[in-house]
Structure formats: C-alpha cells, structure tokens
Amino acid sequence: LVPSQTSEVLEHFQDWRALPQFAAMGTFWWNAQLLQYILAPNARLEAMVRAAKSAMGFRHPILGVHVRRGDSCKLKALPGYGMPLASCKTFADFMPHIRIFSALYGVKTVYVTSDSSSVYQEVREFEGKEGLTFIHTSEDRSYYEHDWLLEMRLRMSLVDRKLVADSTLVDTLLLASCDYLILGLQSG
C-alpha cells in the first residue's frame, strides 16, 4: 500500500469491501490482504522469528504441529468446571497424522510447538525414526507449568506478560510459516 492509499484502505476496514481496483480478486482475497496488513509483525518480532528459524534449522517443506496441553488439561480435571471437550493428547496421538502428511506430501521436517515442555520430552521418543526430523524452539516453557491457570498468574503479575506475548506471537508466526499444519486447538 502506498501512503496516499492508506486512508482509503482504512475506510474499508469497517465493512471489509475491496477497493474498486481489487474487487475482481474477490472478498476472500481482499480480507486476507487486510488481515496481513493489520497483523504484520514489527521489525523486532520479525527478527525474533528469523533468529528462532536459524537456531532450529527451520527449512521447507515443513509440517507444523501444535500440541495444546497446559490449561486445557487443568480445566478438564476440575470438577464442575464444564470443560468436557478439553483434551490432553500426547505427542504420540499426533504421530498417525504426521505420518499421513509425510507420506502424502514428502515432508520430513516437523516443527513442534506446545505450552508444555513435557511434549518436547515425548518428541525425543520419535527422533531419528521414520526419516523425520523434529525441531522446536529452545525457549524455556516452565512459566506455562503451574497449578494456577496462566490467566490468573498474568493478572497477579506472577508471569512476565511481554514474555508470554512474545512467545505466543513467535510460535504463531512460525506455525504460519509452515507449509502444512496439524493443530491441537481443543480447549473446551
């Protein structure tokens, strides 16, 4: 976008209508462009993503796998909390899907991210097997692991909000950089 068009583009945020010169591309394409514009990472965040990719050998084609554990498991365990759909899957539960993607698309590098450091320990069981390479950031995830929910600890300033936000954004951008995704989005 050129600066002279910025105000014109901003007028279209409210109703998500494409600028006339882009109408032929369709609404979905236009909305994707708006979201990319709105959510573009700043230089600091881009540098963090580049550093993470370099440190772990992130290369294409790559399959991204998100294993959600943390609070989801805690909420399921709380009686009367009403989280019957919350799930606590092991990394092994994702392996059949990883094998399918590998066979279908020839992908051999798997980026794994989780809010639980125990997932990375589980990944070790599969390293060097089936011709797959598993990578993940080396970031300490211990701040996720506690008897209290993360939201409660954030409210009480027991966890660094910036650290959690940066970690979440870097993980999300790394997943967005993957060619294929398997996501554990269940939370209840």
Side-chain angles (χ1 to χ4, degrees):
L1 298 173
V2 294
S4 64
Q5 292 179 318
T6 301
S7 62
E8 186 180 1
V9 170
L10 293 175
E11 291 172 11
H12 290 264
F13 278 146
Q14 189 169 5
D15 62 12
W16 298 88
R17 285 179 300 115
L19 290 170
Q21 64 266 36
F22 299 116
M25 301 299 288
T27 302
F28 180 80
W29 179 87
W30 178 251
N31 290 340
Q33 302 312 305
L34 287 178
L35 287 173
Q36 183 178 15
Y37 177 75
I38 293 168
L39 300 174
N42 61 23
R44 184 185 67 82
L45 194 53
E46 279 185 5
M48 291 170 68
V49 171
R50 273 194 312 276
K53 283 181 175 182
S54 176
M56 65 181 151
F58 194 101
R59 64 181 186 281
H60 297 276
I62 189 164
L63 169 63
V65 178
H66 174 262
V67 182
R68 186 165 193 272
R69 275 260 192 86
D71 290 354
S72 181
C73 295
K74 291 178 186 114
L75 294 175
K76 185 169 182 75
L78 292 175
Y81 195 77
M83 300 296 287
L85 299 178
S87 178
C88 294
K89 294 186 177 185
T90 66
F91 183 74
D93 294 327
F94 288 81
M95 279 306 295
H97 307 289
I98 292 169
R99 289 182 189 106
I100 290 169
F101 273 78
S102 179
L104 284 174
Y105 304 112
V107 63
K108 300 296 180 195
T109 305
V110 182
Y111 165 64
V112 180
T113 188
S114 179
D115 56 355
S116 174
S117 58
S118 64
V119 169
Y120 304 119
Q121 295 166 1
E122 294 169 24
V123 168
R124 289 189 191 122
E125 174 185 333
F126 299 96
E127 286 179 348
K129 297 179 181 173
E130 305 181 51
L132 297 169
T133 301
F134 297 96
I135 62 173
H136 58 83
T137 63
S138 59
E139 176 191 358
D140 176 16
R141 301 287 171 132
S142 61
Y143 57 89
Y144 280 119
E145 296 166 13
H146 197 279
D147 290 338
W148 295 358
L149 297 178
L150 181 60
E151 288 82 359
M152 178 65 74
R153 291 182 289 130
L154 285 167
R155 276 189 228 133
M156 297 173 70
S157 298
L158 299 174
V159 179
D160 182 348
R161 289 175 185 259
K162 187 174 182 308
L163 174 69
V164 173
D166 285 348
S167 171
T168 302
L169 289 169
V170 168
D171 284 349
T172 301
L173 292 168
L174 287 169
L175 284 169
S177 298
C178 292
D179 302 299
Y180 310 98
L181 295 172
I182 298 173
L183 306 173
L185 301 173
Q186 63 283 348
S187 66

